[in-house]
Amino acid sequence: MNGNGHDVKSIISKIKKCKCGPDIDIVIAVPSVYLELARKHDGKNIYVAAQNCHKSERNYTGEISAVMLDDLNIEWVLLGDCVRRTLFKESDELIGTKADDALCEGLNVIACLVERKEDDKTGKQHETILSQLKAISDRTDDWCGIVLAYQPVWTFKENITTIKVQEMHSLIRGWIRDNVDENAAKNTRIIYAGKVDSYNALELAEQKDIDGFLIGEKSLTKEFLQIINALKKIKKNVACLNDQDKPKG
């Protein structure tokens, strides 16, 4: 819930000048009031995402449905990020249902798997992440349209080692291999939604199971293009979340 129309156009303009090439997809998740504006200014391999949507099965005053997003030719939606899970208390089951609903309407879904500080302290981070993943898997068979984003909220203020991030991504991919199939495990993009900047982007991107990033406040700074340039070197993907608000982990 940050920025304005000028910021949206400015980010897209900068990305276009970066000339990322066909190997990098950039998804810009903007507030709903700027979806049409962003859609008018997107370009090749630059896509627009909504920051949330709700189930389409009944009336939810003030909410946006996947059907509405499809009507606006929006191809992506972000679901289950730390704000929705922490502040709005959305359950794993609800997020899984919303993901299935969006996929059924033809949208691609960036589904966040959120790890809180207490999960890290108690050693339950694997249990937490896999529970969220299972809630999605239980409700959909369409893995072609899903991107998973590992989001350890506590790392917005504290550092996490690259090895630990890779281990979690490997765990997620291994779970998909064991519980869905090898094809889904191989082709599902798993991106990192923790602290990413121009200093650690290349090291993170070089890891086997890190397929890109979900960028928050850095997407509004000059560092965002430096992060994209790091991905250009190894031809990986990046998703840009144009929102600065992060709850405390």
Side-chain angles (χ1 to χ4, degrees):
M1 198 170 65
N2 285 282
N4 52 39
H6 173 75
D7 292 330
V8 172
K9 290 187 287 185
S10 177
I11 286 177
I12 296 176
S13 176
K14 290 177 182 178
I15 293 171
K16 287 180 177 178
K17 292 178 182 178
C18 196
K19 297 179 180 179
C20 294
D23 297 300
I24 294 181
D25 292 328
I26 299 180
V27 181
I28 304 176
V30 302
S32 58
V33 294
Y34 299 124
L35 286 171
E36 286 193 281
L37 174 65
R39 188 71 180 83
K40 290 178 181 178
H41 290 84
D42 64 8
K44 189 175 182 181
N45 291 90
I46 302 174
Y47 306 94
V48 178
Q51 293 184 356
N52 184 47
C53 73
H54 214 283
K55 298 180 292 184
S56 303
E57 63 185 25
R58 54 174 292 185
N59 295 327
Y60 291 93
T61 302
E63 294 287 351
I64 298 172
S65 71
V67 173
M68 294 175 183
L69 296 178
D70 182 59
D71 188 47
L72 291 176
N73 294 315
I74 301 300
E75 300 177 51
W76 289 81
V77 63
L78 178 76
L79 295 174
D81 83 309
C82 55
V83 172
R84 306 306 305 187
R85 292 182 185 273
T86 304
L87 298 184
F88 289 88
K89 308 298 182 183
E90 292 190 358
S91 67
D92 297 349
E93 293 74 21
L94 175 59
I95 292 166
T97 299
K98 287 166 59 172
D100 180 56
D101 187 69
L103 291 164
C104 288
E105 293 299 332
L107 274 64
N108 297 296
V109 172
I110 301 174
C112 294
L113 306 175
V114 178
E115 176 189 317
R116 299 161 300 173
K117 181 61 178 178
E118 52 263 40
D119 298 320
D120 181 66
K121 285 184 175 180
T122 60
K124 293 184 177 181
Q125 60 268 55
H126 291 182
E127 179 182 334
T128 295
I129 294 299
L130 296 183
S131 175
Q132 295 172 22
L133 179 57
K134 184 177 185 300
I136 296 171
S137 180
D138 285 347
R139 289 161 178 79
T140 185
D141 295 321
D142 182 7
W143 285 85
C144 295
I146 295 178
V147 171
L148 298 173
Y150 167 52
Q151 190 176 48
V153 181
W154 56 275
T155 66
F156 297 142
K157 295 185 180 297
E158 300 179 32
N159 292 324
I160 182 174
T161 66
T162 298
I163 292 175
K164 189 169 182 178
V165 177
Q166 163 58 26
E167 287 177 349
M168 183 62 79
H169 280 235
S170 177
L171 177 77
I172 294 168
R173 199 177 304 281
W175 189 95
I176 297 172
R177 181 178 296 108
D178 294 340
N179 294 275
V180 183
D181 58 46
E182 177 65 34
N183 187 57
K186 179 180 178 181
N187 294 310
T188 298
R189 286 182 283 186
I190 306 172
I191 61 178
Y192 180 51
K195 183 179 179 181
V196 180
D197 53 36
S198 58
Y199 298 100
N200 66 0
L202 182 58
E203 181 182 12
L204 285 165
E206 289 175 334
Q207 304 306 306
K208 177 182 177 182
D209 294 299
I210 300 177
D211 298 314
F213 305 128
L214 182 63
I215 310 297
E217 61 183 8
K218 295 296 182 182
S219 68
L220 302 177
T221 71
K222 62 182 181 180
E223 275 196 82
F224 182 55
L225 295 184
Q226 295 174 310
I227 293 169
I228 292 177
N229 286 330
L231 292 171
K232 283 172 64 177
K233 294 180 181 180
I234 53 178
K235 298 181 180 180
K236 285 197 174 182
N237 303 283
V238 60
C240 162
L241 171 60
N242 182 22
D243 187 31
Q244 296 183 53
D245 288 339
K246 301 293 179 187
K248 295 179 180 180

